[in-house]
Amino acid sequence: MSDSLFDFQQELTEWAIKKGRAAIFADCGLGKTAMQLVWADNVARKTGKPVLVLTPLAVSSQTINEGMKFGIECERSRDGSIPSQITVSNYERLHYFNFEDFSGVVCDESSILKSFDGARRTAIIEFMRKVPYRLLATATAAPNDYTELGNSSEALGYLGHMDMLNRFFKNDRNNSATKRLYGEAPEWRFKGHGERPFWRWVTSWARACRKPSDLGFNDDRFDLPSLIEKEHIVEYNEPLDGQLFRLPAVTLLEQRQERKKTIQERCELAAQLVEHDLPAIVWCHLNAEGDLLESLIPDAVQVSGSDSDDAKESKLLSFANGETRVLVTKPRIGAWGLNFQHCSHMVYFPSHSYEQYYQAVRRCWRFGQKNNVTVDLVMTEGERKVLENLQRKSEQASEMFDRLVEEMNNAQAIEKINDHTNKTEIPKWL
């Protein structure tokens, strides 16, 4: 166990090592990279076989630098070779590797699995299921849909996704009350008296931590600066397709139409907001937005989906190292795993994905950030409902973590009692 780890990191890492197949849901900036490297080092020492660490694009370099800081040797592989007992590579290069060569596998920012297409996600899960020791590490396991935890469970070799649904949830497709509340019925909801057993089951293979005090430790070193969110409404008076008069966008289709028709206005406002000398990020969702933003902001560099993996990584690292002032990209490309604490200003075009928004904001607003972080939300009047939806999902995410922490602490108390019981000395005459 590295002496450089904080006390709460040591406890999480020790638990994951003893468990063998585990998940660590720790918030951004709490040192997941260090914890997973210590875990990988222990597995490699125990088994004598290498451990593969999979990361999002451009995170591999940060992982190797972290290993050097903690005295843990790890090297990167782009072609399936195994240069070190801890081999680091990107998810996109998994097909070069053979599961038989490894005793353990780490999925860094494992929630990114939902962003991959079905074939790639299935390949990653199948690879993991064939390796003895497995670790998932992410800040947002299932921010607004508890059923997504089934993917983590299946990858770790516990309950399969459908098995989990059938045990703890029931199909609620025809519930009229939820239709009135959300506009459509969610497919699954907890069975009666099924919620607490569900969280107890999750804590049997996962640990959650938003701050050290969740584990009973001191928060002194982990105080976040303020997050300042500002709303900027772009005026748009043209009627949408099929309308005689300008009406607020209500449906998802109308919101998309409004978004496409206001690209010029929104991008011009975003460009004005980053007219300063400090680093900034502009998060967009459409190719047309990214291209226009790059042309409007003189010193901006865009990372687009059409770039090669090497080009994406080079541009992202250029911004992380302070060589690029303004980064323009989509959350699904650059919002996972990277550390941008040198930046404290971003512009965001809202979407209905809470996880993308959370991850995008947390690239800068994370433990280690020294300045207040400003997020300028640029939207149309019709997109206010998008913000309301994000707020609802944020509350669901907080509820999930509250339940996880509550049941985790209960589980830890029971484990300590069992450890004490197991260590009781028996008199020799017995």
Side-chain angles (χ1 to χ4, degrees):
M1 187 65 64
S2 171
D3 292 334
S4 300
L5 291 181
F6 291 112
D7 44 14
F8 74 94
Q9 293 171 338
Q10 290 187 14
E11 179 159 316
L12 282 172
T13 306
E14 183 178 352
W15 171 84
I17 292 169
K18 289 180 177 179
K19 193 70 181 174
R21 291 179 285 125
I24 295 177
F25 302 146
D27 218 338
C28 300
L30 287 178
K32 289 188 295 296
T33 302
M35 290 187 277
Q36 64 196 26
L37 286 176
V38 173
W39 181 92
D41 185 50
N42 274 269
V43 172
R45 289 172 182 269
K46 172 71 175 177
T47 63
K49 290 182 66 176
V51 174
L52 179 64
V53 179
L54 296 171
T55 74
L57 273 175
V59 180
S60 294
S61 298
Q62 292 185 355
T63 300
I64 293 170
N65 291 338
E66 197 79 0
M68 293 173 60
K69 185 168 71 175
F70 284 88
I72 298 175
E73 182 182 351
C74 53
E75 295 185 36
R76 183 174 185 176
S77 173
R78 299 174 181 268
D79 56 4
S81 60
I82 306 176
S84 173
Q85 282 292 83
I86 301 177
T87 299
V88 184
S89 191
N90 303 128
Y91 285 104
E92 290 80 2
R93 300 180 185 274
L94 178 63
H95 60 282
Y96 289 118
F97 296 93
N98 186 341
F99 71 90
E100 294 179 341
D101 295 330
F102 299 96
S103 62
V105 60
V106 177
C107 281
D108 184 23
E109 298 295 342
S110 57
S111 64
I112 200 176
L113 296 178
K114 299 189 292 294
S115 301
F116 293 136
D117 58 52
R120 180 172 291 177
R121 182 170 59 250
T122 300
I124 294 171
I125 292 176
E126 286 301 313
F127 186 97
M128 287 195 71
R129 292 175 65 181
K130 296 173 182 176
V131 178
Y133 296 95
R134 311 163 208 169
L135 179 67
L136 303 179
T138 184
T140 53
N144 59 288
D145 185 357
Y146 302 154
T147 63
E148 291 176 0
L149 287 165
N151 291 323
S152 299
S153 171
E154 187 167 348
L156 291 174
Y158 298 110
L159 278 180
H161 189 233
M162 289 306 302
D163 294 326
M164 180 203 73
L165 292 176
N166 290 328
R167 175 175 294 189
F168 300 107
F169 296 85
K170 66 179 295 184
N171 196 296
D172 197 26
R173 193 182 301 274
N174 298 317
N175 188 307
S176 58
T178 52
K179 284 184 179 179
R180 289 194 301 271
L181 183 60
Y182 300 119
E184 60 181 9
E187 290 188 7
W188 301 91
R189 67 176 175 86
F190 281 119
K191 292 179 178 179
H193 308 293
E195 186 171 359
R196 171 153 285 187
F198 171 77
W199 293 120
R200 287 178 177 173
W201 167 73
V202 172
T203 55
S204 70
W205 51 265
R207 287 289 182 267
C209 181
R210 290 167 298 187
K211 52 188 182 300
S213 57
D214 288 337
L215 298 167
F217 296 96
N218 197 303
D219 291 335
D220 286 349
R221 297 187 185 93
F222 292 89
D223 287 330
L224 278 172
S226 298
L227 178 68
I228 304 167
E229 296 174 298
K230 299 180 180 179
E231 297 181 15
H232 303 269
I233 304 298
V234 172
E235 296 296 333
Y236 179 69
N237 298 317
E238 294 284 333
L240 298 176
D241 296 343
Q243 294 180 351
L244 291 176
F245 306 100
R246 179 72 179 99
L247 298 173
V250 177
T251 66
L252 188 59
L253 178 60
E254 291 173 346
Q255 291 169 5
R256 288 173 177 169
Q257 287 182 12
E258 192 173 72
R259 185 177 300 167
K260 289 181 178 179
K261 288 179 178 292
T262 58
I263 288 178
Q264 185 73 32
E265 293 83 354
R266 290 183 293 107
C267 289
E268 288 178 353
L269 178 55
Q272 293 175 14
L273 291 169
V274 297
E275 285 183 352
H276 50 68
D277 297 330
L278 299 175
I281 309 174
V282 183
W283 300 101
C284 59
H285 301 282
L286 304 176
N287 292 334
E289 293 171 344
D291 294 340
L292 183 55
L293 286 164
E294 187 178 24
S295 66
L296 291 173
I297 306 171
D299 50 356
V301 171
Q302 180 190 183
V303 181
S304 65
S306 60
D307 292 336
S308 67
D309 289 345
D310 289 339
K312 290 175 185 174
E313 183 171 9
S314 175
K315 292 178 181 179
L316 290 169
L317 289 176
S318 175
F319 178 74
N321 295 331
E323 299 163 4
T324 298
R325 189 184 76 84
V326 180
L327 175 69
V328 176
T329 191
K330 300 175 183 177
R332 63 185 181 87
I333 294 176
W336 271 267
L338 290 159
N339 300 329
F340 295 149
Q341 286 103 322
H342 73 292
C343 174
S344 59
H345 180 212
M346 65 180 67
V347 179
Y348 193 89
F349 295 162
S351 74
H352 285 281
S353 173
Y354 168 74
E355 183 177 22
Q356 286 186 3
Y357 177 67
Y358 177 90
Q359 289 284 1
V361 170
R362 285 292 186 156
R363 292 313 96 218
C364 303
W365 191 55
R366 54 195 291 120
F367 296 111
Q369 173 64 256
K370 298 179 180 179
N371 303 311
N372 295 335
V373 175
T374 300
V375 181
D376 287 308
L377 297 158
V378 175
M379 71 197 98
T380 61
E381 185 66 39
E383 289 182 307
R384 285 189 181 276
K385 290 187 177 293
V386 177
L387 281 184
E388 294 174 5
N389 194 27
L390 287 177
Q391 181 60 37
R392 177 178 64 83
K393 292 178 178 180
S394 175
E395 292 170 358
Q396 287 180 328
S398 296
E399 180 185 350
M400 184 200 79
F401 259 98
D402 288 342
R403 297 307 304 269
L404 266 175
V405 170
E406 177 187 354
E407 294 303 332
M408 176 185 68
N409 290 332
N410 291 338
Q412 287 176 319
I414 294 173
E415 287 172 3
K416 289 178 181 178
I417 292 174
N418 289 338
D419 287 344
H420 177 74
T421 303
N422 292 336
K423 293 175 182 177
T424 302
E425 295 183 7
I426 306 297
K428 292 181 178 180
W429 57 271
L430 286 176

